[in-house]
Amino acid sequence: MAGLLDEPVRAFVADLRHVLGDLRRRAETPADGAASALDAALEAQAVAAAIIAADGHPSDAELRAFAEALAPWIESLRTATPTQLRTSAVISQHRAFPITPSPLFETIVAADARDHTAHGWRYYDGAMRIAHAVCAIDPVPTRDELLAVDTLRSMLLRRLRGAGVDRSGADSPPRDRQREGPPDTIESLLAELDALIGLDPVKTEVRLLTNLARVEGLRRDRGLPVVDQSRHLVFVGNPGTGKTTVARLIARVDAVLHVVSRGHLVETDRSGLVAGYVGQTASKVNALCDEARGGVLFVDEAYALTGGSEHDFGSEAVSVLLKRMEDDRADLVVVVAGYPGPMRTFLDSNPGLRSRFTKTIEFPDYTDDELVAIFESLSDANHYTLAEEARPAVKSWFAAQPRGASFGNGRLARTLFEACVTRQASRVVELDSPTDAELVTLTAADVPPAEPFPASTPPG
């Protein structure tokens, strides 16, 4: 197991020595190779210890790997036993490390901002390799360890981006990117996830799933045993909360991590799975699973498959789907989605469903401020500008809509945007010579009155 951590620690120390040497040259300070190596090793020690300490129960395997990987630079670790490390402060003192940038990282980022370099990104890449390697030492990382990895990632990225340190194209392309553009990377896909408005708890769960898949990949590459875990997911939430968007991102992440072979999304509902005659339902389900193999099959309103009459073929669809999920588990991920209550009933309708769908992600409704942000993103994407004086009117309109099971969330934002565009067109057409700015600006006069409207009737 020690070998899992040896390579990323050596690489991190080597990279950081180079970075520190460059900083000293720029500052015209005499280089001290021994000091640079020790500084780099101490930073690697802090990164590794922070992840090991995250759950408060470091394993012997983790502690042995930690000591052996850092022993070439830190003499006190050469004879340290797991018991000694567990009872000393060597590990526990670094538990809060992922929360705040270390002094060394701050120094590197400040130099990057000043000198237009990108050393901070080398630190980031190396630190994340160490963090994932630590999680790969035990057969299954704990949730606390995966959360610590995510906290470390978020902290480092927040500081780098806050300082304006450019990675020279490593960040994700715009969200309206074309698939024929640059190939997906884990970092570009996670950046797309981070850029989604709201959905903070959803983002956390997806990043944890991503970290787990990366860790399993490390173990698999080293020929170590990997615990077989279900990758099928349940998404619960009201309409318009981004469930399909997130499922599509998961498909692409899984492809990059070789969880699936292609990374596409096939979306369906009851009508795509259930036929009206004996023998046809199985064929429909198998055809969709064949199409989705290598990616993700997304079944919206999955609860509609159960609860029908005894002559309904929904239960047959579920049975066939469960068989395909088992037969194709190496190259097919199934995501079922719907309202929270009906989805609980759906999962209880067949004993096989609970055993295969072990992970549920809850999609919260958007807040009024988040809906305003979605409205503004729609405006930007369609080359409109929301006047500052119109923002309160847009927020008031969202606040006036009743929040229940039929609350439309992102779809509601699109409905309002389209209504505003229609009202703006009626207003602008009456102007004698509208300017370019007037043609693309949405004002408070273009926002419908702040009152509820029937779900089936767009605001006008």
Side-chain angles (χ1 to χ4, degrees):
M1 299 300 177
L4 277 170
L5 197 51
D6 286 347
E7 190 281 327
V9 165
R10 282 197 302 269
F12 182 82
V13 171
D15 277 351
L16 211 50
R17 286 186 66 184
H18 174 82
V19 168
L20 295 175
D22 186 57
L23 295 186
R24 290 190 171 99
R25 282 192 296 274
R26 290 175 183 273
E28 297 182 352
T29 303
D32 184 341
S36 294
L38 182 58
D39 289 340
L42 290 172
E43 201 75 1
Q45 175 186 7
V47 173
I51 309 304
I52 293 173
D55 60 5
H57 302 285
S59 68
D60 284 359
E62 288 175 326
L63 296 173
R64 280 193 292 268
F66 170 83
E68 291 174 21
L70 289 156
W73 302 276
I74 302 174
E75 185 175 356
S76 61
L77 293 177
R78 293 173 189 170
T79 58
T81 66
T83 300
Q84 291 170 335
L85 291 173
R86 191 175 285 110
T87 56
S88 73
V90 173
I91 300 294
S92 60
Q93 68 179 331
H94 296 294
R95 189 167 186 174
F97 182 85
I99 299 173
T100 306
S102 70
L104 182 56
F105 183 64
E106 284 282 18
T107 298
I108 293 170
V109 171
D112 283 342
R114 181 188 66 241
D115 301 331
H116 305 290
T117 51
H119 293 319
W121 287 105
R122 296 182 69 170
Y123 179 109
Y124 169 84
D125 288 336
M128 295 311 297
R129 282 196 294 270
I130 290 176
H132 285 117
V134 169
C135 289
I137 293 169
D138 289 333
V140 179
T142 65
R143 180 178 174 85
D144 286 335
E145 288 176 330
L146 294 175
L147 281 169
V149 175
D150 187 51
T151 301
L152 176 65
R153 171 187 174 272
S154 298
M155 178 272 289
L156 296 176
L157 288 179
R158 188 165 54 249
R159 185 66 188 94
L160 285 164
R161 290 168 179 165
V165 181
D166 182 30
R167 191 171 182 165
S168 303
D171 285 336
S172 68
R175 279 191 290 163
D176 61 350
R177 69 192 289 279
Q178 298 297 312
R179 293 304 303 272
E180 63 269 17
D184 287 335
T185 66
I186 288 299
E187 288 305 326
S188 71
L189 292 172
L190 291 179
E192 284 191 49
L193 178 72
D194 293 342
L196 296 178
I197 295 168
L199 302 178
D200 287 344
V202 175
K203 294 174 184 177
T204 296
E205 293 302 322
V206 173
R207 289 195 296 263
L208 293 185
L209 290 171
T210 301
N211 284 333
L212 178 59
R214 295 177 81 167
V215 168
E216 290 174 345
L218 285 174
R219 290 184 62 87
R220 196 172 288 110
D221 290 345
R222 296 295 298 270
L224 297 171
V226 176
V227 176
D228 187 19
Q229 302 189 61
S230 173
R231 303 210 176 268
H232 309 298
L233 300 169
V234 180
F235 287 179
V236 296
N238 286 332
T241 47
K243 295 188 289 293
T244 306
T245 298
V246 171
R248 187 172 288 111
L249 268 172
I250 287 175
R252 292 162 60 198
V253 167
D254 283 351
V256 172
L257 294 175
H258 306 295
V259 174
V260 295
S261 58
R262 295 171 59 195
H264 63 298
L265 181 82
V266 174
E267 186 176 0
T268 190
D269 55 16
R270 174 189 165 89
S271 65
L273 295 167
V274 179
Y277 300 96
V278 175
Q280 292 182 336
T281 291
S283 297
K284 292 186 74 171
V285 175
N286 282 320
L288 271 173
C289 289
D290 288 341
E291 183 184 353
R293 191 164 49 205
V296 170
L297 177 62
F298 182 84
V299 184
D300 200 12
E301 298 182 349
Y303 50 80
L305 292 171
T306 58
S309 69
E310 59 180 315
H311 302 297
D312 184 78
F313 296 107
S315 59
E316 180 187 357
V318 171
S319 297
V320 177
L321 182 60
L322 287 172
K323 184 177 186 305
R324 289 300 300 266
M325 289 166 61
E326 180 63 23
D327 293 346
D328 297 324
R329 64 184 182 275
D331 202 23
L332 175 65
V333 173
V334 176
V335 177
V336 292
Y339 294 109
M343 287 304 293
R344 285 193 291 271
T345 302
F346 166 72
L347 292 174
D348 290 335
S349 68
N350 185 309
L353 288 170
R354 282 285 182 192
S355 64
R356 287 173 177 80
F357 291 103
T358 58
K359 178 71 175 178
T360 297
I361 299 180
E362 298 185 7
F363 285 67
D365 285 339
Y366 291 109
T367 66
D368 293 338
D369 286 331
E370 289 168 348
L371 288 169
V372 172
I374 293 172
F375 181 97
E376 289 186 297
S377 72
L378 289 169
S379 299
D380 291 342
N382 290 276
H383 308 290
Y384 281 88
T385 300
L386 179 66
E388 187 62 32
E389 49 90 15
R391 294 184 85 259
V394 171
K395 183 175 180 179
S396 296
W397 190 90
F398 286 127
Q401 308 309 312
R403 287 177 174 264
S406 62
F407 186 68
N409 287 285
R411 299 174 191 175
L412 192 65
R414 179 170 291 280
T415 298
L416 177 59
F417 170 71
E418 292 171 353
C420 289
V421 170
T422 300
R423 289 168 66 95
Q424 189 255 18
S426 298
R427 176 178 59 81
V428 171
V429 77
E430 299 295 329
L431 301 177
D432 289 335
S433 300
T435 64
D436 289 349
E438 288 173 324
L439 288 172
V440 298
T441 300
L442 300 176
T443 69
D446 303 322
V447 182
E451 58 188 23
F453 73 97
S456 60
T457 306

PDB file of all heavy atoms in Angstrom, residues 389-417:
ATOM      1  N   GLU A 389     -32.320  48.414 -12.480  1.00  0.00           N
ATOM      2  CA  GLU A 389     -33.570  48.809 -11.819  1.00  0.00           C
ATOM      3  C   GLU A 389     -34.679  47.774 -11.990  1.00  0.00           C
ATOM      4  O   GLU A 389     -35.694  47.818 -11.298  1.00  0.00           O
ATOM      5  CB  GLU A 389     -34.051  50.162 -12.366  1.00  0.00           C
ATOM      6  CG  GLU A 389     -34.083  50.263 -13.895  1.00  0.00           C
ATOM      7  CD  GLU A 389     -35.409  49.828 -14.505  1.00  0.00           C
ATOM      8  OE1 GLU A 389     -36.392  49.713 -13.752  1.00  0.00           O
ATOM      9  OE2 GLU A 389     -35.461  49.607 -15.720  1.00  0.00           O
ATOM     10  N   ALA A 390     -34.476  46.796 -12.899  1.00  0.00           N
ATOM     11  CA  ALA A 390     -35.483  45.763 -13.125  1.00  0.00           C
ATOM     12  C   ALA A 390     -35.274  44.537 -12.234  1.00  0.00           C
ATOM     13  O   ALA A 390     -36.189  43.718 -12.093  1.00  0.00           O
ATOM     14  CB  ALA A 390     -35.471  45.329 -14.595  1.00  0.00           C
ATOM     15  N   ARG A 391     -34.100  44.410 -11.635  1.00  0.00           N
ATOM     16  CA  ARG A 391     -33.832  43.220 -10.814  1.00  0.00           C
ATOM     17  C   ARG A 391     -34.818  43.066  -9.663  1.00  0.00           C
ATOM     18  O   ARG A 391     -35.315  41.953  -9.399  1.00  0.00           O
ATOM     19  CB  ARG A 391     -32.396  43.245 -10.287  1.00  0.00           C
ATOM     20  CG  ARG A 391     -31.338  43.120 -11.388  1.00  0.00           C
ATOM     21  CD  ARG A 391     -29.932  43.044 -10.830  1.00  0.00           C
ATOM     22  NE  ARG A 391     -29.576  41.670 -10.469  1.00  0.00           N
ATOM     23  CZ  ARG A 391     -29.593  41.194  -9.230  1.00  0.00           C
ATOM     24  NH1 ARG A 391     -29.942  41.972  -8.220  1.00  0.00           N
ATOM     25  NH2 ARG A 391     -29.251  39.955  -8.991  1.00  0.00           N
ATOM     26  N   PRO A 392     -35.138  44.137  -8.905  1.00  0.00           N
ATOM     27  CA  PRO A 392     -36.122  43.968  -7.828  1.00  0.00           C
ATOM     28  C   PRO A 392     -37.482  43.483  -8.335  1.00  0.00           C
ATOM     29  O   PRO A 392     -38.163  42.702  -7.658  1.00  0.00           O
ATOM     30  CB  PRO A 392     -36.223  45.368  -7.212  1.00  0.00           C
ATOM     31  CG  PRO A 392     -34.923  46.023  -7.551  1.00  0.00           C
ATOM     32  CD  PRO A 392     -34.569  45.498  -8.910  1.00  0.00           C
ATOM     33  N   ALA A 393     -37.875  43.946  -9.538  1.00  0.00           N
ATOM     34  CA  ALA A 393     -39.163  43.517 -10.084  1.00  0.00           C
ATOM     35  C   ALA A 393     -39.144  42.033 -10.430  1.00  0.00           C
ATOM     36  O   ALA A 393     -40.119  41.310 -10.202  1.00  0.00           O
ATOM     37  CB  ALA A 393     -39.501  44.351 -11.322  1.00  0.00           C
ATOM     38  N   VAL A 394     -38.014  41.575 -10.978  1.00  0.00           N
ATOM     39  CA  VAL A 394     -37.883  40.150 -11.303  1.00  0.00           C
ATOM     40  C   VAL A 394     -37.915  39.316 -10.028  1.00  0.00           C
ATOM     41  O   VAL A 394     -38.621  38.294  -9.944  1.00  0.00           O
ATOM     42  CB  VAL A 394     -36.574  39.892 -12.079  1.00  0.00           C
ATOM     43  CG1 VAL A 394     -36.307  38.392 -12.224  1.00  0.00           C
ATOM     44  CG2 VAL A 394     -36.645  40.547 -13.461  1.00  0.00           C
ATOM     45  N   LYS A 395     -37.180  39.751  -9.001  1.00  0.00           N
ATOM     46  CA  LYS A 395     -37.166  39.010  -7.745  1.00  0.00           C
ATOM     47  C   LYS A 395     -38.548  38.994  -7.105  1.00  0.00           C
ATOM     48  O   LYS A 395     -38.993  37.961  -6.570  1.00  0.00           O
ATOM     49  CB  LYS A 395     -36.137  39.621  -6.792  1.00  0.00           C
ATOM     50  CG  LYS A 395     -36.002  38.854  -5.491  1.00  0.00           C
ATOM     51  CD  LYS A 395     -34.885  39.408  -4.619  1.00  0.00           C
ATOM     52  CE  LYS A 395     -34.771  38.617  -3.313  1.00  0.00           C
ATOM     53  NZ  LYS A 395     -33.676  39.126  -2.461  1.00  0.00           N
ATOM     54  N   SER A 396     -39.256  40.118  -7.150  1.00  0.00           N
ATOM     55  CA  SER A 396     -40.608  40.179  -6.570  1.00  0.00           C
ATOM     56  C   SER A 396     -41.547  39.226  -7.293  1.00  0.00           C
ATOM     57  O   SER A 396     -42.419  38.613  -6.677  1.00  0.00           O
ATOM     58  CB  SER A 396     -41.146  41.612  -6.630  1.00  0.00           C
ATOM     59  OG  SER A 396     -40.373  42.478  -5.830  1.00  0.00           O
ATOM     60  N   TRP A 397     -41.376  39.108  -8.619  1.00  0.00           N
ATOM     61  CA  TRP A 397     -42.235  38.195  -9.377  1.00  0.00           C
ATOM     62  C   TRP A 397     -42.012  36.760  -8.929  1.00  0.00           C
ATOM     63  O   TRP A 397     -42.961  36.005  -8.707  1.00  0.00           O
ATOM     64  CB  TRP A 397     -41.964  38.344 -10.873  1.00  0.00           C
ATOM     65  CG  TRP A 397     -42.967  37.609 -11.709  1.00  0.00           C
ATOM     66  CD1 TRP A 397     -44.142  38.090 -12.193  1.00  0.00           C
ATOM     67  CD2 TRP A 397     -42.881  36.246 -12.130  1.00  0.00           C
ATOM     68  NE1 TRP A 397     -44.805  37.114 -12.896  1.00  0.00           N
ATOM     69  CE2 TRP A 397     -44.054  35.959 -12.871  1.00  0.00           C
ATOM     70  CE3 TRP A 397     -41.943  35.233 -11.959  1.00  0.00           C
ATOM     71  CZ2 TRP A 397     -44.305  34.717 -13.442  1.00  0.00           C
ATOM     72  CZ3 TRP A 397     -42.195  33.986 -12.514  1.00  0.00           C
ATOM     73  CH2 TRP A 397     -43.358  33.737 -13.255  1.00  0.00           C
ATOM     74  N   PHE A 398     -40.745  36.377  -8.757  1.00  0.00           N
ATOM     75  CA  PHE A 398     -40.459  35.016  -8.288  1.00  0.00           C
ATOM     76  C   PHE A 398     -41.011  34.803  -6.879  1.00  0.00           C
ATOM     77  O   PHE A 398     -41.557  33.740  -6.569  1.00  0.00           O
ATOM     78  CB  PHE A 398     -38.959  34.742  -8.304  1.00  0.00           C
ATOM     79  CG  PHE A 398     -38.385  34.524  -9.671  1.00  0.00           C
ATOM     80  CD1 PHE A 398     -37.291  35.254 -10.111  1.00  0.00           C
ATOM     81  CD2 PHE A 398     -38.939  33.587 -10.529  1.00  0.00           C
ATOM     82  CE1 PHE A 398     -36.757  35.051 -11.377  1.00  0.00           C
ATOM     83  CE2 PHE A 398     -38.417  33.370 -11.790  1.00  0.00           C
ATOM     84  CZ  PHE A 398     -37.327  34.112 -12.227  1.00  0.00           C
ATOM     85  N   ALA A 399     -40.857  35.816  -6.017  1.00  0.00           N
ATOM     86  CA  ALA A 399     -41.326  35.689  -4.637  1.00  0.00           C
ATOM     87  C   ALA A 399     -42.842  35.528  -4.563  1.00  0.00           C
ATOM     88  O   ALA A 399     -43.362  34.938  -3.600  1.00  0.00           O
ATOM     89  CB  ALA A 399     -40.893  36.909  -3.825  1.00  0.00           C
ATOM     90  N   ALA A 400     -43.558  36.019  -5.563  1.00  0.00           N
ATOM     91  CA  ALA A 400     -45.023  35.952  -5.557  1.00  0.00           C
ATOM     92  C   ALA A 400     -45.559  34.592  -5.983  1.00  0.00           C
ATOM     93  O   ALA A 400     -46.748  34.310  -5.800  1.00  0.00           O
ATOM     94  CB  ALA A 400     -45.592  37.038  -6.472  1.00  0.00           C
ATOM     95  N   GLN A 401     -44.687  33.751  -6.550  1.00  0.00           N
ATOM     96  CA  GLN A 401     -45.158  32.454  -7.039  1.00  0.00           C
ATOM     97  C   GLN A 401     -45.226  31.444  -5.890  1.00  0.00           C
ATOM     98  O   GLN A 401     -44.280  31.316  -5.126  1.00  0.00           O
ATOM     99  CB  GLN A 401     -44.231  31.930  -8.148  1.00  0.00           C
ATOM    100  CG  GLN A 401     -43.990  32.917  -9.274  1.00  0.00           C
ATOM    101  CD  GLN A 401     -45.285  33.495  -9.833  1.00  0.00           C
ATOM    102  OE1 GLN A 401     -46.233  32.757 -10.118  1.00  0.00           O
ATOM    103  NE2 GLN A 401     -45.329  34.810  -9.973  1.00  0.00           N
ATOM    104  N   PRO A 402     -46.344  30.743  -5.754  1.00  0.00           N
ATOM    105  CA  PRO A 402     -46.467  29.758  -4.668  1.00  0.00           C
ATOM    106  C   PRO A 402     -45.490  28.606  -4.845  1.00  0.00           C
ATOM    107  O   PRO A 402     -45.282  28.120  -5.957  1.00  0.00           O
ATOM    108  CB  PRO A 402     -47.918  29.276  -4.787  1.00  0.00           C
ATOM    109  CG  PRO A 402     -48.306  29.570  -6.204  1.00  0.00           C
ATOM    110  CD  PRO A 402     -47.544  30.791  -6.605  1.00  0.00           C
ATOM    111  N   ARG A 403     -44.894  28.212  -3.746  1.00  0.00           N
ATOM    112  CA  ARG A 403     -43.917  27.124  -3.790  1.00  0.00           C
ATOM    113  C   ARG A 403     -44.566  25.841  -3.292  1.00  0.00           C
ATOM    114  O   ARG A 403     -44.875  25.712  -2.112  1.00  0.00           O
ATOM    115  CB  ARG A 403     -42.683  27.464  -2.954  1.00  0.00           C
ATOM    116  CG  ARG A 403     -41.801  28.520  -3.617  1.00  0.00           C
ATOM    117  CD  ARG A 403     -40.621  28.885  -2.739  1.00  0.00           C
ATOM    118  NE  ARG A 403     -39.729  29.792  -3.452  1.00  0.00           N
ATOM    119  CZ  ARG A 403     -38.644  29.428  -4.113  1.00  0.00           C
ATOM    120  NH1 ARG A 403     -38.325  28.141  -4.182  1.00  0.00           N
ATOM    121  NH2 ARG A 403     -37.886  30.314  -4.716  1.00  0.00           N
ATOM    122  N   GLY A 404     -44.760  24.929  -4.204  1.00  0.00           N
ATOM    123  CA  GLY A 404     -45.325  23.635  -3.877  1.00  0.00           C
ATOM    124  C   GLY A 404     -44.709  22.585  -4.762  1.00  0.00           C
ATOM    125  O   GLY A 404     -43.658  22.792  -5.382  1.00  0.00           O
ATOM    126  N   ALA A 405     -45.373  21.442  -4.850  1.00  0.00           N
ATOM    127  CA  ALA A 405     -44.836  20.336  -5.643  1.00  0.00           C
ATOM    128  C   ALA A 405     -44.726  20.686  -7.119  1.00  0.00           C
ATOM    129  O   ALA A 405     -43.917  20.103  -7.845  1.00  0.00           O
ATOM    130  CB  ALA A 405     -45.704  19.097  -5.461  1.00  0.00           C
ATOM    131  N   SER A 406     -45.540  21.650  -7.589  1.00  0.00           N
ATOM    132  CA  SER A 406     -45.524  22.008  -9.011  1.00  0.00           C
ATOM    133  C   SER A 406     -44.652  23.217  -9.306  1.00  0.00           C
ATOM    134  O   SER A 406     -44.653  23.717 -10.438  1.00  0.00           O
ATOM    135  CB  SER A 406     -46.959  22.275  -9.492  1.00  0.00           C
ATOM    136  OG  SER A 406     -47.517  23.368  -8.775  1.00  0.00           O
ATOM    137  N   PHE A 407     -43.910  23.698  -8.297  1.00  0.00           N
ATOM    138  CA  PHE A 407     -43.062  24.874  -8.510  1.00  0.00           C
ATOM    139  C   PHE A 407     -42.042  24.567  -9.605  1.00  0.00           C
ATOM    140  O   PHE A 407     -41.336  23.569  -9.550  1.00  0.00           O
ATOM    141  CB  PHE A 407     -42.353  25.239  -7.208  1.00  0.00           C
ATOM    142  CG  PHE A 407     -41.568  26.512  -7.277  1.00  0.00           C
ATOM    143  CD1 PHE A 407     -42.215  27.731  -7.414  1.00  0.00           C
ATOM    144  CD2 PHE A 407     -40.191  26.496  -7.189  1.00  0.00           C
ATOM    145  CE1 PHE A 407     -41.488  28.922  -7.452  1.00  0.00           C
ATOM    146  CE2 PHE A 407     -39.464  27.667  -7.238  1.00  0.00           C
ATOM    147  CZ  PHE A 407     -40.120  28.887  -7.375  1.00  0.00           C
ATOM    148  N   GLY A 408     -41.943  25.460 -10.601  1.00  0.00           N
ATOM    149  CA  GLY A 408     -41.177  25.148 -11.808  1.00  0.00           C
ATOM    150  C   GLY A 408     -39.700  25.417 -11.763  1.00  0.00           C
ATOM    151  O   GLY A 408     -38.955  25.011 -12.660  1.00  0.00           O
ATOM    152  N   ASN A 409     -39.193  26.139 -10.739  1.00  0.00           N
ATOM    153  CA  ASN A 409     -37.764  26.409 -10.608  1.00  0.00           C
ATOM    154  C   ASN A 409     -37.154  26.995 -11.880  1.00  0.00           C
ATOM    155  O   ASN A 409     -37.602  28.036 -12.343  1.00  0.00           O
ATOM    156  CB  ASN A 409     -37.044  25.125 -10.174  1.00  0.00           C
ATOM    157  CG  ASN A 409     -37.334  24.792  -8.725  1.00  0.00           C
ATOM    158  OD1 ASN A 409     -36.807  25.431  -7.829  1.00  0.00           O
ATOM    159  ND2 ASN A 409     -38.178  23.805  -8.487  1.00  0.00           N
ATOM    160  N   GLY A 410     -36.164  26.321 -12.470  1.00  0.00           N
ATOM    161  CA  GLY A 410     -35.503  26.865 -13.659  1.00  0.00           C
ATOM    162  C   GLY A 410     -36.449  27.045 -14.834  1.00  0.00           C
ATOM    163  O   GLY A 410     -36.297  27.976 -15.628  1.00  0.00           O
ATOM    164  N   ARG A 411     -37.427  26.169 -14.958  1.00  0.00           N
ATOM    165  CA  ARG A 411     -38.404  26.316 -16.039  1.00  0.00           C
ATOM    166  C   ARG A 411     -39.228  27.583 -15.837  1.00  0.00           C
ATOM    167  O   ARG A 411     -39.626  28.248 -16.794  1.00  0.00           O
ATOM    168  CB  ARG A 411     -39.314  25.089 -16.080  1.00  0.00           C
ATOM    169  CG  ARG A 411     -38.569  23.784 -16.357  1.00  0.00           C
ATOM    170  CD  ARG A 411     -39.489  22.585 -16.255  1.00  0.00           C
ATOM    171  NE  ARG A 411     -38.730  21.334 -16.258  1.00  0.00           N
ATOM    172  CZ  ARG A 411     -39.262  20.140 -16.082  1.00  0.00           C
ATOM    173  NH1 ARG A 411     -40.576  20.020 -15.882  1.00  0.00           N
ATOM    174  NH2 ARG A 411     -38.511  19.055 -16.089  1.00  0.00           N
ATOM    175  N   LEU A 412     -39.494  27.900 -14.557  1.00  0.00           N
ATOM    176  CA  LEU A 412     -40.227  29.123 -14.247  1.00  0.00           C
ATOM    177  C   LEU A 412     -39.411  30.343 -14.656  1.00  0.00           C
ATOM    178  O   LEU A 412     -39.961  31.337 -15.167  1.00  0.00           O
ATOM    179  CB  LEU A 412     -40.528  29.158 -12.749  1.00  0.00           C
ATOM    180  CG  LEU A 412     -41.526  30.208 -12.255  1.00  0.00           C
ATOM    181  CD1 LEU A 412     -42.913  29.934 -12.815  1.00  0.00           C
ATOM    182  CD2 LEU A 412     -41.565  30.219 -10.730  1.00  0.00           C
ATOM    183  N   ALA A 413     -38.112  30.280 -14.459  1.00  0.00           N
ATOM    184  CA  ALA A 413     -37.249  31.399 -14.863  1.00  0.00           C
ATOM    185  C   ALA A 413     -37.285  31.583 -16.373  1.00  0.00           C
ATOM    186  O   ALA A 413     -37.325  32.716 -16.878  1.00  0.00           O
ATOM    187  CB  ALA A 413     -35.815  31.146 -14.392  1.00  0.00           C
ATOM    188  N   ARG A 414     -37.282  30.484 -17.114  1.00  0.00           N
ATOM    189  CA  ARG A 414     -37.370  30.591 -18.571  1.00  0.00           C
ATOM    190  C   ARG A 414     -38.730  31.151 -19.001  1.00  0.00           C
ATOM    191  O   ARG A 414     -38.805  31.965 -19.917  1.00  0.00           O
ATOM    192  CB  ARG A 414     -37.127  29.229 -19.222  1.00  0.00           C
ATOM    193  CG  ARG A 414     -37.237  29.250 -20.745  1.00  0.00           C
ATOM    194  CD  ARG A 414     -36.768  27.975 -21.378  1.00  0.00           C
ATOM    195  NE  ARG A 414     -35.325  27.808 -21.245  1.00  0.00           N
ATOM    196  CZ  ARG A 414     -34.435  28.409 -22.028  1.00  0.00           C
ATOM    197  NH1 ARG A 414     -34.840  29.234 -23.003  1.00  0.00           N
ATOM    198  NH2 ARG A 414     -33.154  28.196 -21.853  1.00  0.00           N
ATOM    199  N   THR A 415     -39.793  30.711 -18.317  1.00  0.00           N
ATOM    200  CA  THR A 415     -41.120  31.218 -18.644  1.00  0.00           C
ATOM    201  C   THR A 415     -41.182  32.724 -18.450  1.00  0.00           C
ATOM    202  O   THR A 415     -41.722  33.460 -19.291  1.00  0.00           O
ATOM    203  CB  THR A 415     -42.181  30.525 -17.753  1.00  0.00           C
ATOM    204  OG1 THR A 415     -42.172  29.130 -18.019  1.00  0.00           O
ATOM    205  CG2 THR A 415     -43.570  31.070 -18.036  1.00  0.00           C
ATOM    206  N   LEU A 416     -40.635  33.209 -17.332  1.00  0.00           N
ATOM    207  CA  LEU A 416     -40.633  34.649 -17.083  1.00  0.00           C
ATOM    208  C   LEU A 416     -39.776  35.378 -18.106  1.00  0.00           C
ATOM    209  O   LEU A 416     -40.163  36.437 -18.609  1.00  0.00           O
ATOM    210  CB  LEU A 416     -40.109  34.931 -15.671  1.00  0.00           C
ATOM    211  CG  LEU A 416     -39.999  36.421 -15.322  1.00  0.00           C
ATOM    212  CD1 LEU A 416     -41.358  37.112 -15.430  1.00  0.00           C
ATOM    213  CD2 LEU A 416     -39.399  36.611 -13.926  1.00  0.00           C
ATOM    214  N   PHE A 417     -38.609  34.821 -18.432  1.00  0.00           N
ATOM    215  CA  PHE A 417     -37.742  35.469 -19.419  1.00  0.00           C
ATOM    216  C   PHE A 417     -38.461  35.622 -20.760  1.00  0.00           C
ATOM    217  O   PHE A 417     -38.439  36.698 -21.370  1.00  0.00           O
ATOM    218  CB  PHE A 417     -36.458  34.657 -19.605  1.00  0.00           C
ATOM    219  CG  PHE A 417     -35.620  35.107 -20.759  1.00  0.00           C
ATOM    220  CD1 PHE A 417     -34.931  36.310 -20.722  1.00  0.00           C
ATOM    221  CD2 PHE A 417     -35.543  34.341 -21.926  1.00  0.00           C
ATOM    222  CE1 PHE A 417     -34.171  36.735 -21.803  1.00  0.00           C
ATOM    223  CE2 PHE A 417     -34.792  34.757 -23.000  1.00  0.00           C
ATOM    224  CZ  PHE A 417     -34.103  35.961 -22.943  1.00  0.00           C
TER     225      PHE A 417
END
